[in-house]
Amino acid sequence: GESVGLHLPTLSVQEGDNSIINCAYSNSASDYFIWYKQESGKGPQFIIDIRSNMDKRQGQRVTVLLNKTVKHLSLQIAATQPGDSAVYFCAEILSGYSTLTFGKGTMLLVSP
Amino acid sequence: DVKVTQSSRYLVKRTGEKVFLECVQDMDHENMFWYRQDPGLGLRLIYFSYDVKMKEKGDIPEGYSVSREKKERFSLILESASTNQTSMYLCASSLSNTDTQYFGPGTRLTVL
């Protein structure tokens, strides 16, 4: 497969552990945030989103937390599985704009 | 489910050739985007379109042009391909400015 990025921060976990991937954003005017998962050689896949009027949102095995005070976003994956191994990106949209600003990504490696 | 398709998964072209990358979405989305993704640089926006026949420059438009003659189709054109345009090209679409972008599988372009 192809690497989507060199020198990415890497999080290594064991199967069954919970994973937390963090993302800092810089613009307090950002009002919509998205987490994407990208497997090697594939396009980014939407996981979960959250708007700035929320602090927490849950999906299936995933939870996104938003801390606007410190401009921090996190993605929590419960009971991590080998199929969760991928690069995870956060992205933000500034209020009034249509374009996303992407973080560089974090590589999650899950060992069986 | 949203489906974004790209005309080729892999493409090899020679320097100076004109290259067309096609993207089609089937969800009647207003906005469409072209990105390139390079190791260490993340996703960078080349061009986007918020309506038929409309286009806006992204962060790195030099060497590229786009065409949106129909709502569902957004084409990226490399007028004269160069080796520094070797990259993974990703197309995305979104319903509106404040909605999630959905990505295609990507086209890995190699320019020799």
Side-chain angles (χ1 to χ4, degrees), chain A residues 2-6 31-32 34 36 38 41-46 49 51 89 93 96-100 102-104, chain B residues 9-10 31 33 35 37-43 45 48 88 90 97-106 108:
Chain A
E2 300 146 350
S3 172
V4 298
L6 296 176
D31 63 359
Y32 179 49
I34 307 167
Y36 288 95
Q38 188 174 23
K42 297 183 179 180
Q45 177 187 1
F46 168 82
D49 59 359
R51 301 213 178 256
F89 297 94
I93 296 179
Y97 286 80
S98 61
T99 57
L100 286 172
F102 287 89
K104 289 287 191 286
Chain B
R9 292 300 308 276
Y10 299 94
N31 299 340
F33 307 82
Y35 296 88
Q37 185 176 37
D38 302 285
L41 297 176
L43 282 122
L45 181 63
F48 66 103
M88 168 73 100
L90 291 159
N97 283 3
T98 54
D99 281 297
T100 302
Q101 289 184 22
Y102 294 92
F103 283 83
R108 168 63 65 182

Side-chain angles (χ1 to χ4, degrees), chain A residues 21-96:
Chain A
I21 299 170
N22 297 303
C23 181
Y25 64 95
S26 57
N27 199 320
S28 56
S30 294
D31 63 359
Y32 179 49
F33 303 88
I34 307 167
W35 279 102
Y36 288 95
K37 171 187 179 183
Q38 188 174 23
E39 296 173 275
S40 183
K42 297 183 179 180
Q45 177 187 1
F46 168 82
I47 303 173
I48 192 167
D49 59 359
I50 188 167
R51 301 213 178 256
S52 60
N53 60 353
M54 302 172 70
D55 298 321
K56 179 179 179 179
R57 191 160 189 225
Q58 288 185 288
Q60 188 177 12
R61 281 202 307 120
V62 294
T63 300
V64 56
L65 299 177
L66 176 62
N67 186 329
K68 294 180 284 294
T69 303
V70 295
K71 296 200 275 291
H72 183 266
L73 195 66
S74 69
L75 177 71
Q76 300 178 2
I77 305 173
T80 314
Q81 301 167 1
D84 294 327
S85 293
V87 175
Y88 290 81
F89 297 94
C90 65
E92 60 186 294
I93 296 179
L94 270 62
S95 177

